[in-house]
Amino acid sequence: MQKMINILNKRAKFDYEILERYDAGIVLTGTEIKSIRLGKASITESFCEFHNGELFVINSQVEEYLYGTHYNHKAKSERKLLLNKKELKSLEKSMQNKGLTIVPLRLYVNEKGYAKMEIALCRGKKNYDKRETIKDRDTKRDIDRVKKSF
């Protein structure tokens, strides 16, 4: 049985207000997919940009494959995302709005063995929104603690 690979960007839910979610395929080389299947990837500082009508994820880190030879990949490089043409056009149109960005939320391997990336159209939160999120999280933790004692 194949191990579930699920690499999360926990920082994105704290820093951004998520408006729309999309599942996109990602173009990888042989050693990149092997490293992802081992769980050696990070998407915490990554974001997405359009180049000539194509969507690329920038700053995603996939560590070099341990058993790779001189054909090994670079750890940080641009990787192309695969979406339908209609989805790409709607994302590019909405990116023209001020303050919106595309952020990867999750990198995972589906049941067929393909690497997929869940991306989201997001708007950045203000500092007071972040403080409110922290306050809500703390109150929920306190309530759960009280419920557990009874």
Side-chain angles (χ1 to χ4, degrees):
M1 186 172 160
Q2 189 178 12
K3 183 176 89 169
M4 274 298 291
I5 304 300
N6 198 9
I7 299 163
L8 298 174
N9 186 357
K10 295 178 183 177
R11 192 81 190 151
K13 292 180 181 175
F14 180 72
D15 286 338
Y16 299 100
E17 175 189 348
I18 297 170
L19 304 176
E20 294 179 36
R21 293 176 187 249
Y22 297 94
D23 279 334
I26 185 167
V27 177
L28 299 171
T29 62
T31 54
E32 287 175 331
I33 187 64
K34 290 178 182 184
S35 291
I36 289 173
R37 285 184 181 146
L38 291 174
K40 306 284 185 180
S42 173
I43 57 171
T44 54
E45 299 172 358
S46 57
F47 58 96
C48 299
E49 281 185 350
F50 279 96
H51 296 293
N52 298 329
E54 295 176 338
L55 188 63
F56 288 90
V57 63
I58 314 288
N59 250 0
S60 65
Q61 172 120 9
V62 177
E63 290 183 23
E64 289 186 358
Y65 186 56
L66 184 63
Y67 304 109
T69 60
H70 60 279
Y71 294 114
N72 224 346
H73 64 278
K74 295 180 199 170
K76 278 194 174 186
S77 66
E78 295 183 356
R79 293 172 177 89
K80 185 178 175 180
L81 295 178
L82 305 171
L83 287 167
N84 293 333
K85 195 179 285 190
K86 188 183 350 178
E87 291 174 336
L88 282 173
K89 284 185 180 183
S90 70
L91 273 175
E92 193 168 17
K93 186 176 179 183
S94 58
M95 280 279 292
Q96 304 302 325
N97 294 344
K98 187 177 179 185
L100 295 182
T101 186
I102 302 172
V103 177
L105 298 177
R106 184 169 69 119
L107 177 64
Y108 63 98
V109 177
N110 67 2
E111 51 279 341
K112 291 184 179 179
Y114 296 130
K116 300 282 186 173
M117 185 174 282
E118 182 178 349
I119 60 174
L121 184 66
C122 302
R123 180 179 293 123
K125 285 185 181 178
K126 305 286 186 211
N127 280 337
Y128 56 86
D129 290 333
K130 292 179 186 179
R131 286 192 295 266
E132 193 170 314
T133 303
I134 293 170
K135 188 172 85 172
D136 291 341
R137 192 180 334 147
D138 289 342
T139 56
K140 184 181 181 305
R141 188 180 307 130
D142 292 340
I143 290 171
D144 289 342
R145 192 176 296 138
V146 169
K147 282 183 181 179
K148 188 175 182 181
S149 66
F150 287 111

